[in-house]
Amino acid sequence: AAATAAGAIHMDCMGFGMGAGCLQMTFQAKDVREARFLYDQLGIVAPLMLALTAATPVWKGVLADTDVRWNVISGSVDDRDALERGLPPSPEAAASGRRPIPKSRYSSIDCFISQCALMQEEFNDVECVVSQPAVDRLLAAGIDPRLAKHVGHLFCRDPLVVFEDRLELDDSADSEHFESLQSTNWNTVRFKPPPADPESGINWRGGVRSIGL
C-alpha cells in the first residue's frame, strides 16, 4: 500500500530518494583559497535555497508532511550501523573504538573550511566526527587544521563504490580512489579539488547541491 496504517509513506528502495530531481551547480575558483571561501558561502545559503525551491510535497501519490526531497534522500542512503546511529551496538562493534556519526552521509555540511579572517573558529560549533589517522596524516603533510578536519570527516565513512578492476591505482597520479569516497558523501555543498592530471585544465571548485527541481 502507498501508506501504512500509521500514516507513513512506505518507500522501500534507494530509488525513491535518489530518483528525486534537483539542480546542482559547480563554480570554478581561481585557486584553492577562493574555492574554500566559496564553499563556506555556499554552505550558508544552501539551506535557504532548499527552502525556496521546495518542490516535493507528494510521494507515491500521498501528500507528505514535508515539501522538500532532502530527508527522504538522506534516509534512503543512510548506511550507518547501530553504533553509528547512537543505538545499542553489537559487542563486536562496541569493542571497535568507533564513534556515533550524527548524520547520514547525505546531509548538510559539518564544518567551515575557509581561512578568511571573517570565518571565526567558533562558527565551527557542529559536532564533526573524523578519521583521526587521516587527519594526522594530513597535518603531518602540511595541510592546515581546518582543511584536514574537512577531509578527515569524509574518511569517517566507508566507500560505497569500488570497482574490481580499479583497486590497484597509483594514487599520486590518479584521484579515483579519493573521488569514490568524496562522491558518496553527499552534502549540501561539495569542495572539489582538481583532478590529479595537471593537463585537465580543471581548477579548484565549489558546488551547491540543495536546490530542488
Side-chain angles (χ1 to χ4, degrees):
T4 68
I9 303 173
H10 183 63
M11 292 179 279
D12 60 352
C13 74
M14 179 181 174
F16 283 106
M18 286 302 196
C22 66
L23 176 63
Q24 299 179 1
M25 296 182 290
T26 297
F27 304 90
Q28 182 161 263
K30 65 180 181 181
D31 54 30
V32 62
R33 180 183 178 88
E34 185 177 79
R36 291 171 68 167
F37 181 76
L38 175 64
Y39 175 91
D40 287 354
Q41 301 309 302
L42 291 175
I44 294 168
V45 302
L48 300 176
M49 297 305 296
L50 176 65
L52 290 171
T53 58
T56 319
V58 176
W59 297 89
K60 293 184 72 173
V62 178
L63 187 64
D65 63 354
T66 177
D67 57 2
V68 297
R69 74 193 193 285
W70 198 265
N71 287 341
V72 174
I73 308 178
S74 180
S76 75
V77 296
D78 190 355
D79 62 337
R80 293 174 298 164
D81 61 21
L83 183 149
E84 291 168 337
R85 291 173 184 263
L87 302 174
S90 67
E92 295 79 9
S96 68
R98 293 183 294 120
R99 295 171 53 193
I101 302 175
K103 296 185 290 185
S104 165
R105 63 171 66 230
Y106 201 111
S107 63
S108 56
I109 66 171
D110 290 270
C111 60
F112 295 116
I113 62 175
S114 171
Q115 293 178 300
C116 172
L118 296 174
M119 192 56 66
Q120 302 297 312
E121 189 56 42
E122 54 262 34
F123 296 164
N124 279 329
D125 58 355
V126 174
E127 181 181 3
C128 184
V129 179
V130 300
S131 165
Q132 196 57 50
V135 172
D136 292 343
R137 183 171 181 178
L138 290 162
L139 293 174
I143 302 299
D144 64 272
R146 284 189 183 177
L147 190 54
K149 181 180 180 181
H150 168 77
V151 177
H153 177 60
L154 298 178
F155 279 85
C156 80
R157 305 183 191 273
D158 294 326
L160 289 184
V161 180
V162 180
F163 295 101
E164 185 175 0
D165 61 344
R166 304 294 290 171
L167 287 175
E168 301 298 332
L169 298 174
D170 179 2
D171 291 327
S172 66
D174 193 322
S175 58
E176 183 172 329
H177 284 160
F178 172 75
E179 293 297 344
S180 293
L181 183 65
Q182 156 107 318
S183 64
T184 51
N185 276 270
W186 297 281
N187 297 139
T188 45
V189 179
R190 181 172 289 166
F191 177 67
K192 300 182 177 183
D197 180 7
E199 302 300 321
S200 68
I202 300 174
N203 210 338
W204 296 85
R205 293 148 291 152
V208 61
R209 312 166 57 78
S210 61
I211 302 170
L213 186 63

